[in-house]
């Protein structure tokens, strides 16, 4: 079994594994709680992705991603999931948001 608490770290990355723009900001709608997973257990979070095209090109500096880079809470090893989207290389534009980690295969924060 393993125990997790809090928010995952999430960012867009290009095919060279270079982060694109700002990492996801935390949605504080729900408070974190300890999640204990049995071997092979599942956890989830919700990811919000704003449309880069909503920002002026000069402010956004659009760049295409190849992956989502995800760090489990309090971990330094990431995993990559293929994810093609347009991000903003300008880190002052916040396109991504995440919720707290929850147990199970579907998002049910509480």
């Amino acid at each position: 079994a393993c125990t997790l608490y809090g928010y995952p770290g999430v960012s867009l990355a290009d095919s060279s594994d270079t982060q694109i723009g700002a990492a996801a900001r935390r949605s504080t709608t729900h408070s974190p709680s300890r999640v204990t997973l049995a071997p092979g257990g599942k956890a989830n979070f919700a990811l919000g992705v704003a449309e880069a095209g909503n920002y002026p090109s000069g402010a956004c500096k659009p760049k295409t991603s190849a992956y989502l880079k995800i760090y489990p809470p309090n971990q330094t090893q990431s995993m990559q999931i293929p994810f093609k989207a347009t991000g903003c290389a300008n880190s002052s534009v916040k396109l991504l948001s995440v919720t707290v980690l929850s147990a199970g295969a579907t998002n049910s924060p509480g």
Side-chain angles (χ1 to χ4, degrees):
C2 72
T3 302
L4 302 166
Y5 179 85
Y7 296 85
V10 180
S11 60
L12 295 172
D14 65 18
S15 59
S16 300
D17 198 31
T18 301
Q19 182 172 317
I20 299 170
R25 67 182 187 281
R26 296 174 174 182
S27 170
T28 57
T29 304
H30 298 282
S31 298
S33 60
R34 183 171 314 170
V35 174
T36 301
L37 300 175
K42 296 181 181 187
N44 71 83
F45 62 92
L47 173 67
V49 182
E51 174 60 49
N54 291 337
Y55 298 88
S57 182
C60 174
K61 299 185 176 33
K63 187 169 182 183
T64 302
S65 70
Y67 302 99
L68 278 174
K69 187 179 257 192
I70 302 172
Y71 292 87
N74 302 311
Q75 300 296 310
T76 58
Q77 294 292 319
S78 69
M79 62 183 80
Q80 291 181 335
I81 297 174
F83 187 79
K84 187 172 182 179
T86 300
C88 290
N90 181 350
S91 62
S92 68
V93 177
K94 313 290 189 215
L95 294 181
L96 305 177
S97 63
V98 293
T99 62
V100 295
L101 197 70
S102 298
T106 61
N107 191 14
S108 54

